[in-house]
Structure formats: structure tokens, C-alpha cells
């Protein structure tokens, strides 16, 4: 996932390099006698797979930046950290601008996003959602499974 403009530029440059490498490899495929064709095809498939992944990340970032994705849907709370990052991008805010809204140093927001908010407590996550103008439009459904207590045996 691309989280900021710097990563976006780096990812675009990487994608261009992979496209060139793939094009050169495609030229080599039919005429190379030194390397078995199957090995060349495997290499080409691996490069194509990675290039596809880079393109997906670029497309997602550009879509978020364009504001064409006004609603982010979460299937579980596990998706919340990445959704906070996506919401910041969709809101057109830089990490520095979000940090200012939260009264934090930019580096703290960078750390939160780099670790996908692993070190942020619930209060901080709620502050981030408010700073981004995020709203929950449906209720959470919670299914609770009883956990056996220590010292008791379940039958």
C-alpha cells in the first residue's frame, strides 16, 4: 500500500523499470538459446506478477487521491488501520497536515502509518477518525464466544 507522495513516486519509478525489464526479456524469449525457454518464461511471469502488484498499488493511490472513492467499507476491525491511511489520502491530507490537526509531530503520524497504527491506543485512533471526518454509518455486529475460565473444564 502506498501511504504518501514519496512512496507513490518511488513505486511509479519501480513500475517503469519493471516494464522496461519485461520488454527486454520479451525480446529475448524467442531468440535465446543459452537459457531454457521455460526458465525465461518463469522469470517473465514473476516480473509480470510484481509489476501487476505495483500497478494495483498505484491505481489505488490515484483513485484515493482523486476523491472518486468517497466511502471506504470495512469487513472487520482488522482493516481499520489501512482504512485510516486510505481516508487521509482520500481527504487530500498529507501526513504533515494530519499531524497538525492532531497536534502531533509529523514523524508520529509517519510512525503510526508505517506500523499501521500498531502503537496507537483506541483514544488516539478515535482522534484520528475525528480529524479525518470519518463517520460510521452502520452499527458494528459483535459475536461473542465464551472463553472457558482457568481451572474449569468444558465438557
Amino acid at each position: 500500500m502506498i501511504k504518501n507522495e514519496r512512496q507513490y513516486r518511488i513505486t511509479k519509478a519501480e513500475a517503469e523499470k519493471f516494464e522496461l525489464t519485461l520488454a527486454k526479456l520479451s525480446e529475448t524469449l524467442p531468440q535465446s538459446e543459452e537459457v531454457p525457454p521455460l526458465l525465461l518464461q518463469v522469470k517473465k511471469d514473476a516480473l509480470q506478477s510484481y509489476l501487476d502488484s505495483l500497478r494495483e498499488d498505484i491505481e489505488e493511490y490515484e483513485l484515493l487521491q482523486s476523491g472518486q472513492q468517497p466511502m471506504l467499507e470495512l469487513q472487520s476491525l482488522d482493516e481499520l488501520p489501512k482504512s485510516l491511511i486510505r481516508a487521509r489520502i482520500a481527504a487530500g491530507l498529507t501526513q504533515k497536515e494530519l499531524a497538525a490537526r492532531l497536534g502531533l509531530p509529523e514523524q508520529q503520524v509517519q510512525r503510526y502509518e508505517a506500523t499501521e497504527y500498531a502503537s496507537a491506543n483506541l483514544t488516539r485512533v478515535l482522534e484520528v477518525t475525528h480529524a479525518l471526518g470519518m463517520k460510521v454509518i452502520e452499527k458494528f455486529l459483535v459475536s461473542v464466544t465464551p472463553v472457558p475460565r482457568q481451572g474449569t473444564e468444558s465438557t
Side-chain angles (χ1 to χ4, degrees):
M1 174 181 197
I2 298 172
K3 298 175 183 173
N4 57 47
E5 201 55 36
R6 180 179 175 274
Q7 289 179 356
Y8 173 69
R9 287 191 308 273
I10 290 169
T11 305
K12 282 198 64 122
E14 273 302 294
E16 288 173 12
K17 288 179 190 175
F18 271 84
E19 287 170 353
L20 289 173
T21 303
L22 200 52
K24 288 179 184 175
L25 188 60
S26 292
E27 292 170 6
T28 307
L29 270 177
Q31 49 188 305
S32 177
E33 294 178 12
E34 299 171 11
V35 181
L38 183 59
L39 186 58
L40 282 173
Q41 187 61 46
V42 168
K43 187 174 183 177
K44 181 181 175 188
D45 291 347
L47 289 170
Q48 185 64 54
S49 176
Y50 190 68
L51 177 59
D52 291 344
S53 177
L54 292 174
R55 285 178 177 160
E56 285 175 20
D57 288 348
I58 290 166
E59 184 178 330
E60 177 190 37
Y61 188 79
E62 290 174 345
L63 182 65
L64 288 168
Q65 276 192 315
S66 72
Q68 294 177 6
Q69 193 172 8
M71 189 176 303
L72 303 172
E73 187 174 321
L74 282 72
Q75 299 301 318
S76 75
L77 283 177
D78 293 335
E79 298 173 14
L80 182 59
K82 285 186 178 178
S83 293
L84 293 173
I85 298 165
R86 287 182 179 109
R88 177 189 55 76
I89 295 166
L93 295 174
T94 64
Q95 291 171 327
K96 184 176 186 173
E97 291 166 334
L98 176 58
R101 286 185 180 194
L102 295 167
L104 297 172
E106 178 182 3
Q107 292 78 11
Q108 183 60 53
V109 171
Q110 290 171 344
R111 279 191 292 275
Y112 282 149
E113 290 191 0
T115 62
E116 295 185 353
Y117 287 89
S119 64
N121 61 30
L122 182 58
T123 302
R124 178 67 74 203
V125 168
L126 290 173
E127 289 172 355
V128 172
T129 62
H130 293 300
L132 293 171
M134 293 175 73
K135 293 178 177 46
V136 176
I137 58 172
E138 292 194 26
K139 296 179 183 179
F140 289 101
L141 299 176
V142 179
S143 173
V144 180
T145 305
V147 178
R149 295 180 182 197
Q150 281 187 328
T152 62
E153 293 183 28
S154 58
T155 54

